[in-house]
Amino acid sequence: SFTCNSGTDALYVCLSVDVNTSTAHAMTYNGVAMTLVASELTQQQALIFRLLAPTTGSSLTISATWTTNRAAAMVAFALSGVNQTTPEGTAASSASAGATSSSTGTISLSSGDLGIDCVACNSTTGAQLTASGSQANATVANRSDAPTNDTSVGGSTLDGSGSVTMGWSWSSGSIRYEIQCRYCADRI
């Protein structure tokens, strides 16, 4: 279950799916469909979904569905101050394969905007993700379906303006694929 506090005017969910082909995804919050606002697909899929004016309260549900049986992990952020008329900003993405130890990417933010970052990893031993730099609200979730198939997702936010860098590093795990998508939420 998920708690969405009073004053929340936007809910964002970062989803990592172990998939090497595009597949249909749906995300709901308390039975209400969410909007896909950013995604990247390169052996692993990172997606960011958004819902404006979500129902507030406790014991609410966030559900994800897709068309094939895959490992997945998700994290969620309940935010206030998001523009309800034009919440969309810029989206950006990057991808890499192999055993790197970090990933960074940039996104353009106007003054007062909020960057939302989602990193998705597929590893053989479970990556220990850590947000780098001044990112806030960093949250990580892991899902292990088999000894050779771990899926991790990390989500974070960053206030700023201009071209800002958002990044992640990992201290263990043999990374097979890593992708990062970033999204700008326009603030009021």
Side-chain angles (χ1 to χ4, degrees):
S1 70
F2 185 77
T3 299
C4 198
N5 293 322
S6 176
T8 297
D9 56 21
L11 175 67
Y12 289 88
V13 176
C14 299
L15 176 67
S16 169
V17 181
D18 176 24
V19 61
N20 60 8
T21 59
S22 183
T23 184
H25 294 83
M27 181 75 66
T28 61
Y29 171 69
N30 208 35
V32 178
M34 299 182 73
T35 303
L36 178 65
V37 294
S39 66
E40 174 64 28
L41 169 67
T42 307
Q43 300 296 325
Q44 184 79 7
Q45 194 162 28
L47 306 105
I48 301 175
F49 291 86
R50 181 226 348 113
L51 179 65
L52 297 176
T55 300
T56 58
S58 60
S59 299
L60 301 169
T61 59
I62 300 172
S63 300
T65 58
W66 45 90
T67 58
T68 57
N69 186 18
R70 298 290 183 186
M74 71 174 118
V75 296
F77 299 99
L79 303 175
S80 61
V82 175
N83 188 316
Q84 299 294 288
T85 306
T86 55
E88 289 5 303
T90 306
S93 62
S94 59
S96 65
T100 61
S101 60
S102 64
S103 171
T104 60
T106 59
I107 189 166
S108 296
L109 300 177
S110 297
S111 180
D113 284 351
L114 182 70
I116 299 171
D117 187 36
C118 175
V119 63
C121 292
N122 178 287
S123 69
T124 57
T125 57
Q128 302 301 310
L129 293 167
T130 305
S132 59
S134 57
Q135 287 160 232
N137 299 319
T139 306
V140 174
N142 298 291
R143 166 84 188 263
S144 180
D145 271 3
T148 60
N149 190 26
D150 289 342
T151 297
S152 300
V153 63
S156 66
T157 61
L158 179 65
D159 285 310
S161 64
S163 181
V164 299
T165 299
M166 301 182 83
W168 293 86
S169 62
W170 36 91
S171 60
S172 67
S174 177
I175 300 296
R176 291 189 292 211
Y177 307 106
E178 171 278 322
I179 59 174
Q180 188 180 25
C181 65
R182 294 163 300 284
Y183 172 77
C184 169
D186 287 342
R187 303 294 285 278
I188 298 172

